[in-house]
Amino acid sequence: MIDFSKAVDQVVLMSKLVQLELPSFVINWICSFLTGRGQQCKVNDTVSSLADIGLSIVQGSGIGPTLYIIMKSDLSTLSALNDIFKYADDTTLLVPQHTDTELQQKFNHVRSWAANNRLILNLSKTKEMVFKQSRVWCFHMPAALDDVEQIDCCKLLGVMFQSNFKMDSRVNYLLSQCAQRMYILKHLRHQGMSSDQIITVAYALILSRIMYALPAWGGFLSAALIDKINAFLSV
């Protein structure tokens, strides 16, 4: 899991937009949207001076994710045996056990791309996880990447994955969140909300959370974890 700083060099971004052969008025509009922006902080009645934002994709804007995708459009792998998944500012490099290029070499390629595109690689948030079957008797753990922490569990696009392909952490975290939201439903019931309304809120707050990205992790659930989820829903 590779983490980049959200600061984007506008000159590099504009050059990539030009390569897409977009109409000039579209590029001018994007350039106008990104330039001349500033920010201030207010504490009580005191307001700081205006600070210019020279390097940024406006977070929370509708066009922000698209611009970040364009920024990383030319980031690719060194080998056809590897995969790289890019979603907005999230980047994941997937390398199989048997490959034709060393992992460190692949990672150095990403670092070089980041430097050439004036992006900052956040090593403190960049993590390495080695997937392995839980019942393997003998397993050789590869050496960790330079300055990158090896972990056993990570969150990717809101879903927790474990290196042994189990979903204990995912289900425990999910049910703890849903239990807090169940407390909200009890308060709403005490305040006189009807049963139909309670069901609507339960779908919005609880079932939608359980169903989120279910095709990506539901197939890894053990019978015990399925029973645990069903027991929570039957309360």
Side-chain angles (χ1 to χ4, degrees), residues 147-159:
D147 304 319
V148 176
E149 179 187 7
Q150 276 190 352
I151 58 176
D152 294 322
C153 182
C154 73
K155 182 184 290 186
L156 180 61
L157 297 179
V159 179

Side-chain angles (χ1 to χ4, degrees), residues 89-101:
D89 59 338
D90 289 304
T91 303
T92 304
L93 178 63
L94 186 63
V95 180
Q97 179 181 1
H98 302 291
T99 182
D100 54 1
T101 312

Side-chain angles (χ1 to χ4, degrees), residues 17 28 32 40 53 60 62 68 72 84 88 99 106 110 132 140 155 165 171 186 197 217-218 231:
L17 288 172
N28 291 336
S32 175
Q40 290 177 294
I53 304 175
Y68 218 105
K72 297 192 298 183
I84 189 166
T99 182
K106 299 181 183 70
V110 175
K132 56 187 179 297
H140 175 67
K155 182 184 290 186
F165 295 100
V171 171
K186 293 180 180 179
Q197 292 173 325
W217 58 274

Side-chain angles (χ1 to χ4, degrees), residues 7-192:
V8 172
D9 188 281
Q10 294 177 5
V11 175
V12 176
L13 176 60
M14 289 302 138
S15 66
K16 294 187 178 184
L17 288 172
V18 170
Q19 293 174 10
L20 295 177
E21 298 183 355
L22 296 174
S24 58
F25 69 87
V26 174
I27 297 178
N28 291 336
W29 180 87
I30 294 175
C31 183
S32 175
F33 177 73
L34 295 178
T35 55
R37 308 186 73 92
Q39 62 182 10
Q40 290 177 294
C41 293
K42 181 178 181 181
V43 179
N44 297 326
D45 295 328
T46 303
V47 180
S48 69
S49 57
L50 184 65
D52 178 62
I53 304 175
L55 297 173
S56 179
I57 284 177
V58 183
Q59 192 172 6
S61 65
I63 198 175
T66 301
L67 293 179
Y68 218 105
I69 290 172
I70 294 173
M71 187 68 185
K72 297 192 298 183
S73 59
D74 57 348
L75 174 59
S76 59
T77 62
L78 284 176
S79 170
L81 299 176
N82 307 325
D83 285 316
I84 189 166
F85 303 100
K86 297 173 285 186
Y87 180 80
D89 59 338
D90 289 304
T91 303
T92 304
L93 178 63
L94 186 63
V95 180
Q97 179 181 1
H98 302 291
T99 182
D100 54 1
T101 312
E102 292 293 332
L103 179 59
Q104 186 66 55
Q105 185 178 355
K106 299 181 183 70
F107 186 64
N108 290 340
H109 169 70
V110 175
R111 299 180 76 162
S112 176
W113 176 89
N116 292 334
N117 287 269
R118 301 179 186 177
L119 282 174
I120 300 174
L121 193 61
N122 191 339
L123 292 177
S124 64
K125 292 185 178 181
T126 298
K127 307 296 180 183
E128 177 187 5
M129 188 162 68
V130 180
F131 289 96
K132 56 187 179 297
Q133 295 181 358
S134 57
R135 296 183 179 181
V136 173
W137 290 97
C138 181
F139 179 79
H140 175 67
M141 178 66 75
L145 293 169
D146 294 342
D147 304 319
V148 176
E149 179 187 7
Q150 276 190 352
I151 58 176
D152 294 322
C153 182
C154 73
K155 182 184 290 186
L156 180 61
L157 297 179
V159 179
M160 298 181 70
F161 293 94
Q162 295 174 227
S163 60
N164 57 4
F165 295 100
K166 293 185 178 181
M167 282 293 160
D168 304 75
S169 297
R170 166 66 181 170
V171 171
N172 291 334
Y173 175 74
L174 181 64
L175 294 185
S176 67
Q177 281 192 322
C178 292
Q180 296 174 358
R181 300 179 182 191
M182 190 72 75
Y183 180 74
I184 298 176
L185 294 181
K186 293 180 180 179
H187 271 279
L188 293 176
R189 182 179 291 111
H190 290 320
Q191 293 177 7

